[in-house]
Amino acid sequence: MATIFCEKRRPQMASVRPHVMPMPCKDEEATGQIIRESIGMTEADIPTKVLEVIFDAGQTDDQEIGDAEFIVSGGRGLLDKQNFKLIRELADELGGVVGSSRSAVDAGWIDVEHQVGQTGKTVRPKIYIACGISGAIQHLVGMQDADLVIAINRDPEAPIFEVADIGIVGDLFEIVPAITESIRRAKAANGHQACVLKPVQG
Amino acid sequence: MPNPMVFALVLVAAVVLFIWSAVRRFSLLRVGRPEDRFNDIPARIRDTLVYAFGQKRVVRKAFGFNHLLLFWSFLILLIANGEFILKGLNPAISFMSLPAVVHNPIYLIFDLVSLIVLLCVIIAAIRRIVKPPFPGALTADAYVILGMVAALMIAYFNLHGLELASGEMIALMPISSAVGGLFYSGITPVAAHPLITIWWWVHAIVLLGFLNYLPYSKHMHILSSIPNIYFKRFDHANTLPRETFVSDARFGVESVADLTWKDLLDSFSCTECGRCQMVCPANLTDKPLNPRQVIHDIKINLLENGPAMRKGAEPKLALIGGGGEGSITEDQVWSCTSCGACMEVCPVFIEQMPKILQIRRNLVEAKADFPEELLNLFENMEQRSNPWGIAPSDRTKWCSLLDVKPFDEDCEYLFYVGCAGAFDSRNKQIALAMAMILDAAGISWGILGKEEMCCGDSARRLGNEYLFDQMAQANVELWEQKGVKKIITMCPHCFSTLKNDYRQYGFNGEVISHSEFIAELLTAGTLKLAEKVDLGKITFHDSCYLGRHNDIYEQPRSVISAATGRDPVEMKRNHSDSFCCGAGGGRMWMEEQLGTRINLERVREALDEDPDTVCVACPYCMTMFEDGLKDEHREMVNVRDIAEVVAMALPRQ
């Protein structure tokens, strides 16, 4: 969400992105005046024209992480390139995409398109699961606006826990497959109806 | 001996040609912009004596001694060659006409010095084959000049050997005598005469040829490097000049016409010794940047474009572009960490780094052409006044559990926390340590809290001068409002920017690095430590912006010694030779996709000392070292800022 500073000035203003708040029930009693301003401008008046939207090459089968609702990210804690398959399995189970920290990209474990952070992509998913990512500030600024951050890390002092809504201190090699498995089981039990992980507010 | 008339004609022709060539070359300096390097003549003369005639920087490297010998031998042989030329014009002019007690030592010295020169050029020629200073040092140009100097000495020994052997000259010249005895023993004056004439002409032609070759080769440094040292900067090149933002202004350096005459003189003064490239972190990690090549390309570009540009034409060969000879690529420009190692080692005080940063200005301000990851950075610095784009209200989070006073007029010192200290979780601990130290020493201090703004260091080193200009003005204005007179910093980038760059914006307060400040507190006894901290074996990493750019080397070491009771061990490269962590010059915010990683190179060097703790005095170095140690799977080695070490030694409350 944007942070807008108008400490010493009035009027105050606020804006929110779509989906950041749950939809409340309609309150018939509510009062207040909504002023709709017509700015009398059509798309034809905008000098910049969108001719065509072309997607980057190499992103054909991967959902763009910038738009993903669920992101499972891996970092240096994965220790090896092949361990990214744990991350991939969990992401697949959630219908999400794989993200990564810069160090995993630098190590050559994953393509730079997956990099989240200052020099990578800024993401705002509903759920961001950080596995083996300590949470250097360069990474945090790219994902801290996620609705729900789940962090899995061995080091209880890791700064990722400062921004995490749910923190799991432990071995990701045990925890990640366990989560994947329990989702798989839950989905089987529910007949693939719904995902067990729903964005939790608050 | 030659016919004086013939020689006079040859001499005049050679000298006229030389003057024409030299004037033509040096007049190209007028393509550059003006720059005032004419102040403080006594200090300039002093530095010229020390660094040009004393060769102080040349002899820092062992092989430089060879150059020192050559340099002084050349000066002595200037006298010998003066006599040679005058004698060629009028045979009556000779040191021989002086009394024997005078001329004997003169000829003895000439003879011995000539041998020294011959040996020196032979050693230099062999070195280039056996152990070249850098790959590619084996150039034809180098051998032409070495060959010419050797030929000159050989002609000299033959000429005098013949004169001595035939009895035409009697002097104490052991080397020439030996040559005479070996090749011309018992030769009659009649038989010697034509040979003398031949060797005399060989000597004359090589000498005049040498003179005329100079302006067209890298050995032009014989003519240009003494002036280059005379016109050197007195301070460190740790800032760049301000720009004026008016319409139609030119920003940064796009062509040689945007450089100053001194920048262009730099390019004429480089003799391609390669010392800069051997210390350049970008070059040593296989990135395309090579500071020697940058200077060389500026020279080639000037030679190519200069004559037409003097007549008002546009340059044909672009200075920034394809990267062929005479042009510099953007990858080279963005590879610089602004560590200043190149300038520190250059024997003739060439300023490589500011030229690179000036090119960045042009790319950013005139062409909006920069690595894409910087877009985010520039926006964040512009909108939130911090590199990460974090809400400014978070600036005080690091001290939310402490009772830190907002700066007001009663505070003696402003503790300028800086973005790293305020936002980065690891570096917040340094800010906390500083707060503990300042309180323990009873210092009157405060912070600006959420009013604090980024110093803009990265913006300036990355060439976004317009952004930096705004940030600097806003900061200076704020400090004036608040009555800030003394500032303590914990980041050398903030430190150097506030101390040096902000002078250009009228800030005249005192700026003190935490290294200096803590060292002073300890020396004065204001800060008392309870116990010695045991951090095992410690090595200290010099930050470029503390050390090379601001000459602060001993203070952080003394702080470590005081807090731990033992001196830090030195890495192979330390003090002014220290090797950059890779984060300076805005590289902190860029991907390092070319070559190998600079921080790993430095981390491995630190690990060679097998330390338990690496001490740093810079938040950027902290990040680079911690990352590098993780990559090397050596997390057991701790990285600590000097302030943290001191905080651990404070008496428990």
Side-chain angles (χ1 to χ4, degrees), chain A residues 76 106 115 118-119 137 159, chain B residues 376 387 424-425 591 597 631:
Chain A
R76 207 186 316 248
D106 285 344
Q115 185 177 327
Q118 175 96 2
T119 54
I137 189 162
Chain B
N376 211 356
D424 180 85
S425 61
E591 295 289 4
R597 299 186 71 91
D631 284 336

Side-chain angles (χ1 to χ4, degrees), chain B residues 196-451:
Chain B
I196 288 176
T197 307
I198 289 171
W199 280 115
W200 193 94
W201 273 109
V202 169
H203 190 273
I205 300 291
V206 175
L207 181 66
L208 298 176
F210 181 81
L211 187 68
N212 276 289
Y213 182 71
L214 286 186
Y216 296 97
S217 92
K218 66 173 187 165
H219 293 87
M220 188 167 172
H221 88 289
I222 292 178
L223 306 172
S224 54
S225 54
I226 295 175
N228 207 53
I229 290 172
Y230 178 83
F231 290 118
K232 80 179 184 66
R233 296 175 69 124
F234 291 118
D235 53 349
H236 289 294
N238 49 19
T239 67
L240 292 169
R242 277 185 76 166
E243 283 186 331
T244 40
F245 298 98
V246 290
S247 55
D248 296 332
R250 292 179 68 94
F251 299 113
V253 167
E254 184 182 10
S255 80
V256 283
D258 301 316
L259 291 161
T260 73
W261 63 268
K262 175 60 177 57
D263 288 321
L264 301 178
L265 182 62
D266 274 358
S267 80
F268 285 156
S269 306
C270 175
T271 190
E272 318 214 345
C273 70
R275 290 190 190 187
C276 54
Q277 72 185 69
M278 287 181 279
V279 296
C280 172
N283 183 61
L284 291 177
T285 55
D286 299 325
K287 292 173 182 55
L289 174 63
N290 176 338
R292 174 184 61 87
Q293 195 63 40
V294 168
I295 300 301
H296 178 76
D297 287 331
I298 289 172
K299 176 170 102 174
I300 298 299
N301 194 284
L302 176 63
L303 295 177
E304 188 84 15
N305 292 322
M309 287 172 83
R310 284 208 65 199
K311 296 188 187 108
E314 286 296 308
K316 278 207 197 87
L317 173 64
L319 182 63
I320 313 161
E325 206 180 20
S327 91
I328 300 162
T329 65
E330 291 181 24
D331 278 343
Q332 290 176 307
V333 173
W334 293 113
S335 293
C336 178
T337 68
S338 78
C339 76
C342 49
M343 301 186 291
E344 186 72 27
V345 294
C346 181
V348 297
F349 291 87
I350 292 170
E351 294 152 27
Q352 297 91 338
M353 181 196 103
K355 298 179 184 42
I356 296 170
L357 301 190
Q358 288 274 15
I359 294 175
R360 287 184 178 178
R361 280 186 178 178
N362 184 264
L363 290 172
V364 173
E365 295 179 301
K367 304 199 176 74
D369 184 2
F370 47 82
E372 59 175 339
E373 60 263 31
L374 294 181
L375 186 63
N376 211 356
L377 174 80
F378 291 154
E379 276 184 13
N380 290 338
M381 289 177 84
E382 199 172 339
Q383 293 169 5
R384 302 288 185 91
S385 203
N386 72 74
W388 297 285
I390 296 173
S393 52
D394 285 6
R395 272 202 189 264
T396 47
K397 275 193 178 171
W398 68 273
C399 59
S400 52
L401 299 176
L402 299 177
D403 187 21
V404 173
K405 198 178 159 199
F407 181 88
D408 60 29
E409 274 153 17
D410 300 333
C411 296
E412 187 180 359
Y413 292 96
L414 167 68
F415 173 37
Y416 183 84
V417 184
C419 302
F423 297 117
D424 180 85
S425 61
R426 177 66 188 88
N427 287 307
K428 278 180 194 171
Q429 294 169 5
I430 307 173
L432 278 172
M434 276 305 292
M436 288 167 66
I437 292 167
L438 295 173
D439 282 341
I443 302 296
S444 149
W445 65 286
I447 58 168
L448 289 173
K450 59 189 173 190
E451 284 184 273

Side-chain angles (χ1 to χ4, degrees), chain A residues 5 8 28-29 36 43 57 64 70 84 89 92 98 108 110 115 117 133-134 152 157 162-163 166 192:
Chain A
F5 248 157
K8 293 169 188 158
E28 301 289 349
E29 306 291 300
R36 296 195 188 271
E43 201 174 335
E64 162 81 59
F70 300 102
F84 251 97
E89 279 169 10
D92 284 349
V98 176
I110 191 161
Q115 185 177 327
I133 293 175
S134 65
I152 305 164
E157 301 289 316
E162 288 172 25
V163 299
I166 300 171
H192 295 253

Side-chain angles (χ1 to χ4, degrees), chain B residues 123-135:
Chain B
I123 291 169
I126 294 171
R127 173 200 182 218
R128 267 171 203 270
I129 298 168
V130 178
K131 194 170 172 282
F134 57 90

Side-chain angles (χ1 to χ4, degrees), chain B residues 429-430 432-437 518 527 529 531 533 563 641-652:
Chain B
Q429 294 169 5
I430 307 173
L432 278 172
M434 276 305 292
M436 288 167 66
I437 292 167
I518 299 171
L527 184 65
L529 303 180
E531 54 190 308
V533 185
D641 188 272
I642 57 161
E644 295 179 290
V645 178
V646 172
M648 281 185 248
L650 290 176
R652 305 241 179 266

